[in-house]
């Protein structure tokens, strides 16, 4: 398992999870969780500061080529899977919910 394998799976996940909201407009999840076997996760952690941003850039370039848009910055979160997980690493993608702060209402003043 290498960065190229993860990158290819991320791009496939992008294509599979694009949400089309019009004829030519697709919104893409921007939060990706990659479950890796513990030994692969440990290896990746040694260079996660270099790998995660590179993978996020790869996802952004792919999205631009396909005309996808994101609702926020792309985040890649590698996590260790259960010891008995299959060698193929699952990827979960989602559009995080945004918590909105209540806005003050303009009304009559006393």
């Amino acid at each position: 398992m290498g960065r190229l394998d993860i990158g290819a799976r991320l791009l496939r996940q992008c294509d599979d999870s694009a949400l089309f909201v019009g004829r030519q407009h697709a919104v893409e999840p921007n939060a990706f969780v990659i479950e890796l076997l513990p030994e692969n996760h440990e290896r990746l952690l040694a260079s996660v500061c270099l790998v995660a941003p590179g993978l996020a850039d790869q996802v952004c370039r792919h999205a631009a080529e396909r005309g996808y848009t994101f609702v926020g910055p792309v985040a890649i979160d590698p996590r260790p899977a259960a010891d008995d997980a299959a060698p193929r690493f699952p990827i979960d993608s989602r559009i995080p919910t945004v918590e909105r702060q209540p806005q003050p209402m303009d009304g009559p003043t006393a």
Side-chain angles (χ1 to χ4, degrees):
M1 185 256 356
R3 180 179 167 181
L4 293 177
D5 298 328
I6 296 173
R9 294 286 308 271
L10 279 168
L11 301 185
R12 191 172 328 125
Q13 182 74 14
C14 284
D15 292 337
D16 291 347
S17 58
L19 175 64
F20 291 89
V21 292
R23 285 189 159 189
Q24 300 197 0
H25 186 75
V27 176
E28 192 59 47
N30 59 311
F32 298 88
V33 175
I34 306 167
E35 291 186 29
L36 301 168
L37 291 174
E39 60 271 12
N40 291 336
H41 181 259
E42 287 177 22
R43 254 192 321 235
L44 186 64
L45 274 184
S47 61
V48 75
C49 292
L50 301 173
V51 173
L55 291 170
D57 287 345
Q58 187 177 359
V59 167
C60 290
R61 282 193 310 273
H62 178 76
E65 290 170 2
R66 299 267 202 253
Y68 302 153
T69 57
F70 298 104
V71 294
V74 174
I76 310 290
D77 182 14
R79 295 185 184 170
D83 289 332
D84 59 350
R88 298 200 119 223
F89 42 92
I91 297 177
D92 178 44
S93 60
R94 62 187 171 81
I95 298 172
T97 57
V98 177
E99 292 185 29
R100 292 187 177 189
Q101 298 296 323
Q103 298 296 316
M105 295 181 59
D106 292 332
T109 57

